[in-house]
Amino acid sequence: MPKGKEVKGNKITLKIAKKEIRMTPDGHRRLTLSNMGITIFPKCLLKLTNFDELDLSRNLIRKLPDSFGNFSSLRWLDLHSNKLESVPESIGNLVVLSHLNLSNNFLTSGGLPSTLGSLISLKCLNLGMNKLDNLPPTLVALGSLQEFCLFDNLFINLPDFLHILQNLTKLNTKRNPLSYVQEDGETLLQKKSKPEEEMYLVCEKSLCRPCFTRCKEQRERLTGGEVSNMIEEKKIRIYAGLMVPNSVAALNQDVWRIRQVEQETIK
């Protein structure tokens, strides 16, 4: 097989594209060309105007055309898991875009145009699993942004403008070599060699024995054993004839009353 044939990939024609347009449950028209071995962006899509959602995820696309901004009616765009190294400046023309997924590509900070800040309707932006260590300062204009994913990148410091995004409720910065975590205007020092981790608070009585033991060990590591004596004082009581719930089950009122009676009897 000639060498050129190996890298050409599948060709998407206008006829094929028209057949892949489907109505979504919320009444939008989505063109899905995911996982089709596409290596070159199909310019024939620029001739279509009857869709407002585009899914080109899980392909092998390396570059988007400069005319990509002509899809001005797009409200939802998924380009995750391609081989993109940059995004064209014309993407700033997609002013009604509310969801943009660019995760799992080869994007660098230099490949992100400042025009991303023009996407004023954007509510969800996923830039995870790339090679980013900085963001365009113009993103401070994304006042509608609610979810922002930056996981699995190269960030040592998080951009200061994240605190200015008033509608931002979810920020994922997992597995970055962060030197600190910014939270509520405070700077918390961390070891640079370890990625950011999350901590969850749970009630001890809601845990099964293995989970309780694991949490106890982790808490001792975090506190240096300061609370170990406190934990030992709290013994788990076992009541005959009662089933012990699993770690996610909630006690119903009847079981709770029985336990209260037995506790009073023991006392």
Side-chain angles (χ1 to χ4, degrees), residues 42-111:
K43 292 186 178 181
C44 65
L45 302 185
L46 295 168
K47 299 179 181 180
L48 293 175
T49 58
N50 60 337
F51 66 92
D52 55 4
E53 298 187 358
L54 177 59
D55 184 359
L56 281 167
S57 63
R58 294 183 293 172
N59 282 295
L60 303 169
I61 301 173
R62 295 180 178 274
K63 184 179 180 181
L64 299 177
D66 294 334
S67 56
F68 193 83
N70 292 347
F71 293 110
S72 56
S73 61
L74 278 184
R75 60 171 297 277
W76 187 93
L77 176 60
D78 192 349
L79 291 164
H80 86 266
S81 303
N82 277 280
K83 294 188 176 183
L84 295 174
E85 298 180 357
S86 63
V87 179
E89 292 188 3
S90 62
I91 198 171
N93 296 339
L94 312 183
V95 292
V96 298
L97 194 68
S98 62
H99 290 72
L100 175 59
N101 190 348
L102 290 168
S103 64
N104 196 20
N105 277 283
F106 296 92
L107 296 172
T108 61
S109 296

Side-chain angles (χ1 to χ4, degrees), residues 163-191:
H163 295 295
I164 305 176
L165 302 177
Q166 297 181 353
N167 290 312
L168 188 63
T169 57
K170 293 182 180 180
L171 176 63
N172 189 341
T173 59
K174 293 180 180 179
R175 294 178 295 278
N176 276 278
L178 293 173
S179 59
Y180 62 87
V181 180
Q182 294 178 328
E183 184 178 6
D184 298 330
E186 297 180 358
T187 301
L188 304 178
L189 295 178
Q190 281 194 169
K191 294 181 179 180

